Amino acid sequence: MDSNHNSQLTVHDATLRDGQHAVQHQLDVSQLRAYAVAASAAGVPVVEVGHGNGLGASSRQIGYARLDDATMLETVREALTGSSRMGVFMVPGWGTGADIRQAAACGADVVRIAAHCTEANVMRRHLGIVRELGLEAQAVLLMSHMTGAERLAEECRRAVEYGAQAVGIMDSAGHYLPADMTERIGAIVAAVDVPVIFHGHNNLSMAVANSIAAVEAGARVIDACARGFGAGAGNTSLEVLVAVLHRSGHETGIDLPALLRAADVAHDRLMAGPPVIDSVSVASGLAGVFSGFKPRVLAAAGAAGVDPLEVFAELGRRQVVAGQEDLIDEVVRGLKVAS
C-alpha cells in the first residue's frame, strides 16, 4: 500500500463534455442544467462541460454542437453550487487562446490542455495562457497506449515545465489493462511532483479496474462519467468508481447516495440508454482506435458492404488518431477494392 493510499482523490466528472460524443454533441440547456445541479448537490469536485472534443471544436469535420461554448459554460456555471468547480477541455488546433480567455470569462476554474501522447510541446503556449489567467492548468496526453511508460513520463515532465499543475494520460481507445496502469502511472508519478491524472474508456470492460490500479500506482485525479456516458463503449462509470473507491478506503468527498441520484438524472435526461460494449467496441479497444470513430466507421462500412471489424483493425495498424476521420473512408475504399 502506497503512502498516499488514504489521501483524498479528486474525481473529475466529464459527463457533460466527453458524454457529448454519445449524442453527437446535442445536449441542450435544460439537460446541462439538470445534471450540473445534481452533480453539484453530490459534491462532485469538478464538473467538465463543452463540445465532446473541447473548446472551439464545434465544426463540420467532427460535428456541430447544439449550443455554442459560451452558452454551455454559462449554463453550467450558474447551476454549480457549493465547492464544485467547472472544468473545460481544449485541444490546440481545434481551440485557441481566445477560446481559453472566453472560458475564463464564463467562469471556468480548471482548464485541461490535451495533445497526442508524444506532442506535449504543442501545449506550451496554451498552458501559459491558463496560468496567466489564474486558472488551474492541467495537461493530458491522448491515445497514450501508442507510446511507452518512459516517453509518457518525459512528456508529462515537459508539460509541468510549461506550467501544468496536474498531468496525466487518457486511455482514448479503452486499450489498457491494470498492469499497464501500474507501469505507466508509476513512471509518471516518479517523474513529476504534481497530481497525476487518469481518464479511462470501457471498451474491454476494464475502465473501473484500470482507474483503481491507477490510484494504487499514485494517480490522484480520476475521470469518470455518470453511467459511463460517452462514445462507443463509454467511459469509466462515475457512480461505480466512487462506490469502489469508498469500499477500498479512498476518500473522495462525494456524497454517494446523492451521486447515485445524479446518475439517475443522467440516465433519464441525457441518454437513450447507458453505453453497451458490443463487438465493434471490443474491436476498437483491441486495435487501439479512438472510440469516437464508431458511428462513422459503422456508416461507411455499412454503405460499402465491408466488415467494420476489419476497418478498425486497419485503422489500428495505421495508428489513426482523432482528427484523421477522413482516413476512415480511405480504409473502407481500400477494403472494398481488396474484397
Side-chain angles (χ1 to χ4, degrees):
M1 183 180 299
D2 68 43
S3 62
N4 291 322
H5 180 78
N6 291 312
S7 63
Q8 184 164 311
L9 305 170
T10 298
V11 175
H12 189 108
D13 183 350
T15 303
L16 297 180
R17 196 278 301 170
D18 210 358
Q20 289 260 32
H21 287 292
V23 291
Q24 289 73 55
H25 322 289
Q26 295 303 299
L27 294 181
D28 63 26
V29 165
S30 66
Q31 292 171 306
L32 294 174
R33 182 183 295 115
Y35 182 74
V37 167
S40 188
V44 173
V46 180
V47 176
E48 189 176 270
V49 60
H51 183 284
N53 294 82
L55 298 175
S58 183
S59 63
R60 181 176 180 180
Q61 180 189 17
I62 53 179
Y64 289 107
R66 177 186 293 265
L67 306 171
D68 60 70
D69 288 345
T71 300
M72 287 189 274
L73 272 59
E74 289 167 356
T75 297
V76 170
R77 177 71 276 165
E78 184 178 311
L80 296 179
T81 59
S83 60
S84 295
R85 298 184 295 160
M86 185 169 72
V88 294
F89 174 93
M90 196 202 83
V91 180
W94 284 333
T96 66
D99 293 310
I100 297 173
R101 295 183 191 280
Q102 180 186 59
C106 291
D109 301 294
V110 180
V111 179
R112 278 196 174 168
I113 307 299
H116 185 63
C117 59
T118 57
E119 298 174 0
N121 59 300
V122 305
M123 303 179 185
R124 185 170 194 160
R125 185 171 68 85
H126 298 95
L127 287 170
I129 292 171
V130 178
R131 294 299 299 270
E132 288 171 12
L133 292 169
L135 307 179
E136 181 175 333
Q138 298 186 354
V140 288
L141 301 174
L142 307 175
M143 301 297 287
S144 61
H145 67 282
M146 288 186 168
T147 193
E150 291 185 10
R151 180 65 182 271
L152 291 173
E154 174 59 21
E155 295 294 320
C156 284
R157 187 190 63 75
R158 288 181 184 175
V160 172
E161 290 180 356
Y162 301 154
Q165 295 162 289
V167 295
I169 58 176
M170 288 191 165
D171 183 14
S172 309
H175 184 71
Y176 283 141
L177 299 177
D180 300 314
M181 294 295 90
T182 301
E183 179 186 20
R184 285 166 165 79
I185 296 296
I188 296 168
V189 168
V192 302
D193 59 359
V194 300
V196 173
I197 302 162
F198 176 66
H199 174 110
H201 283 243
N202 205 38
N203 296 65
L204 302 180
S205 196
M206 300 302 294
V208 171
N210 285 340
S211 296
I212 298 301
V215 169
E216 295 295 342
R220 284 297 168 266
V221 181
I222 304 296
D223 292 6
C225 295
R227 290 288 196 275
F229 191 38
N235 297 273
T236 305
S237 175
L238 175 63
E239 64 278 8
V240 177
L241 172 68
V242 172
V244 174
L245 286 170
H246 289 187
R247 173 72 176 80
S248 304
H250 295 285
E251 234 357 280
T252 67
I254 293 174
D255 180 336
L256 182 57
L259 184 66
L260 295 175
R261 292 191 288 273
D264 291 340
V265 169
H267 190 148
D268 295 340
R269 296 292 302 274
L270 306 185
M271 62 189 83
V276 174
I277 304 173
D278 59 17
S279 297
V280 172
S281 297
V282 174
S284 173
L286 287 174
V289 176
F290 174 49
S291 300
F293 282 3
K294 180 180 176 180
R296 187 158 175 177
V297 167
L298 289 176
V306 302
D307 187 345
L309 305 188
E310 292 184 11
V311 177
F312 273 111
E314 179 59 24
L315 291 171
R317 282 190 286 272
R318 296 191 186 197
Q319 295 196 318
V320 174
V321 299
Q324 296 180 309
E325 285 83 352
D326 56 316
L327 292 179
I328 294 171
D329 295 328
E330 179 181 313
V331 166
V332 167
R333 287 193 298 270
L335 289 171
K336 185 174 182 178
V337 169
S339 65

